[in-house]
PDB file of all heavy atoms in Angstrom:
ATOM      1  N   GLU A 131      10.627 222.972 262.298  1.00  0.00           N
ATOM      2  CA  GLU A 131      10.720 223.632 263.595  1.00  0.00           C
ATOM      3  C   GLU A 131      12.106 224.202 263.873  1.00  0.00           C
ATOM      4  O   GLU A 131      12.244 225.224 264.565  1.00  0.00           O
ATOM      5  CB  GLU A 131      10.325 222.648 264.703  1.00  0.00           C
ATOM      6  CG  GLU A 131       8.845 222.274 264.687  1.00  0.00           C
ATOM      7  CD  GLU A 131       8.472 221.369 265.845  1.00  0.00           C
ATOM      8  OE1 GLU A 131       9.374 221.037 266.649  1.00  0.00           O
ATOM      9  OE2 GLU A 131       7.286 221.000 265.957  1.00  0.00           O
ATOM     10  N   TRP A 132      13.150 223.566 263.363  1.00  0.00           N
ATOM     11  CA  TRP A 132      14.507 224.005 263.672  1.00  0.00           C
ATOM     12  C   TRP A 132      14.869 225.333 263.032  1.00  0.00           C
ATOM     13  O   TRP A 132      15.837 225.989 263.436  1.00  0.00           O
ATOM     14  CB  TRP A 132      15.524 222.942 263.242  1.00  0.00           C
ATOM     15  CG  TRP A 132      15.502 222.600 261.771  1.00  0.00           C
ATOM     16  CD1 TRP A 132      14.852 221.574 261.192  1.00  0.00           C
ATOM     17  CD2 TRP A 132      16.169 223.297 260.703  1.00  0.00           C
ATOM     18  NE1 TRP A 132      15.055 221.565 259.830  1.00  0.00           N
ATOM     19  CE2 TRP A 132      15.860 222.615 259.508  1.00  0.00           C
ATOM     20  CE3 TRP A 132      16.992 224.420 260.645  1.00  0.00           C
ATOM     21  CZ2 TRP A 132      16.352 223.034 258.270  1.00  0.00           C
ATOM     22  CZ3 TRP A 132      17.475 224.840 259.408  1.00  0.00           C
ATOM     23  CH2 TRP A 132      17.155 224.144 258.244  1.00  0.00           C
ATOM     24  N   VAL A 133      14.088 225.778 262.051  1.00  0.00           N
ATOM     25  CA  VAL A 133      14.425 226.987 261.290  1.00  0.00           C
ATOM     26  C   VAL A 133      14.523 228.205 262.193  1.00  0.00           C
ATOM     27  O   VAL A 133      15.464 229.010 262.094  1.00  0.00           O
ATOM     28  CB  VAL A 133      13.402 227.218 260.156  1.00  0.00           C
ATOM     29  CG1 VAL A 133      13.509 228.639 259.612  1.00  0.00           C
ATOM     30  CG2 VAL A 133      13.627 226.203 259.049  1.00  0.00           C
ATOM     31  N   SER A 134      13.565 228.375 263.092  1.00  0.00           N
ATOM     32  CA  SER A 134      13.567 229.572 263.935  1.00  0.00           C
ATOM     33  C   SER A 134      14.811 229.646 264.811  1.00  0.00           C
ATOM     34  O   SER A 134      15.309 230.748 265.113  1.00  0.00           O
ATOM     35  CB  SER A 134      12.312 229.601 264.804  1.00  0.00           C
ATOM     36  OG  SER A 134      12.243 228.457 265.652  1.00  0.00           O
ATOM     37  N   GLY A 135      15.354 228.487 265.229  1.00  0.00           N
ATOM     38  CA  GLY A 135      16.553 228.483 266.048  1.00  0.00           C
ATOM     39  C   GLY A 135      17.813 228.829 265.281  1.00  0.00           C
ATOM     40  O   GLY A 135      18.804 229.290 265.856  1.00  0.00           O
ATOM     41  N   CYS A 136      17.792 228.627 263.963  1.00  0.00           N
ATOM     42  CA  CYS A 136      18.966 228.908 263.134  1.00  0.00           C
ATOM     43  C   CYS A 136      18.880 230.263 262.427  1.00  0.00           C
ATOM     44  O   CYS A 136      19.875 230.741 261.887  1.00  0.00           O
ATOM     45  CB  CYS A 136      19.137 227.810 262.085  1.00  0.00           C
ATOM     46  SG  CYS A 136      19.510 226.185 262.782  1.00  0.00           S
ATOM     47  N   HIS A 137      17.691 230.866 262.427  1.00  0.00           N
ATOM     48  CA  HIS A 137      17.505 232.144 261.741  1.00  0.00           C
ATOM     49  C   HIS A 137      18.401 233.219 262.360  1.00  0.00           C
ATOM     50  O   HIS A 137      18.417 233.401 263.577  1.00  0.00           O
ATOM     51  CB  HIS A 137      16.035 232.558 261.839  1.00  0.00           C
ATOM     52  CG  HIS A 137      15.726 233.866 261.217  1.00  0.00           C
ATOM     53  ND1 HIS A 137      16.090 234.189 259.923  1.00  0.00           N
ATOM     54  CD2 HIS A 137      15.078 234.960 261.711  1.00  0.00           C
ATOM     55  CE1 HIS A 137      15.681 235.412 259.652  1.00  0.00           C
ATOM     56  NE2 HIS A 137      15.068 235.903 260.708  1.00  0.00           N
ATOM     57  N   ARG A 138      19.174 233.884 261.520  1.00  0.00           N
ATOM     58  CA  ARG A 138      20.116 234.968 261.888  1.00  0.00           C
ATOM     59  C   ARG A 138      21.326 234.448 262.662  1.00  0.00           C
ATOM     60  O   ARG A 138      22.076 235.240 263.233  1.00  0.00           O
ATOM     61  CB  ARG A 138      19.402 236.074 262.659  1.00  0.00           C
ATOM     62  CG  ARG A 138      18.258 236.695 261.896  1.00  0.00           C
ATOM     63  CD  ARG A 138      17.756 237.984 262.509  1.00  0.00           C
ATOM     64  NE  ARG A 138      17.167 237.804 263.814  1.00  0.00           N
ATOM     65  CZ  ARG A 138      16.576 238.781 264.505  1.00  0.00           C
ATOM     66  NH1 ARG A 138      16.528 240.001 264.013  1.00  0.00           N
ATOM     67  NH2 ARG A 138      16.052 238.534 265.682  1.00  0.00           N
ATOM     68  N   MET A 139      21.543 233.165 262.669  1.00  0.00           N
ATOM     69  CA  MET A 139      22.694 232.601 263.399  1.00  0.00           C
ATOM     70  C   MET A 139      24.004 232.975 262.717  1.00  0.00           C
ATOM     71  O   MET A 139      24.133 232.892 261.499  1.00  0.00           O
ATOM     72  CB  MET A 139      22.560 231.079 263.477  1.00  0.00           C
ATOM     73  CG  MET A 139      23.696 230.401 264.250  1.00  0.00           C
ATOM     74  SD  MET A 139      23.445 228.609 264.380  1.00  0.00           S
ATOM     75  CE  MET A 139      22.050 228.582 265.519  1.00  0.00           C
ATOM     76  N   ASN A 160       9.153 234.547 264.127  1.00  0.00           N
ATOM     77  CA  ASN A 160      10.562 234.388 264.480  1.00  0.00           C
ATOM     78  C   ASN A 160      11.401 233.892 263.311  1.00  0.00           C
ATOM     79  O   ASN A 160      12.469 233.313 263.482  1.00  0.00           O
ATOM     80  CB  ASN A 160      10.714 233.444 265.668  1.00  0.00           C
ATOM     81  CG  ASN A 160       9.985 232.109 265.459  1.00  0.00           C
ATOM     82  OD1 ASN A 160       9.399 231.876 264.406  1.00  0.00           O
ATOM     83  ND2 ASN A 160      10.045 231.248 266.458  1.00  0.00           N
TER      84      ASN A 160
END
Side-chain angles (χ1 to χ4, degrees):
E131 292 184 0
W132 59 264
V133 165
S134 60
C136 295
H137 178 51
R138 302 193 295 185
M139 182 177 289
N160 52 2

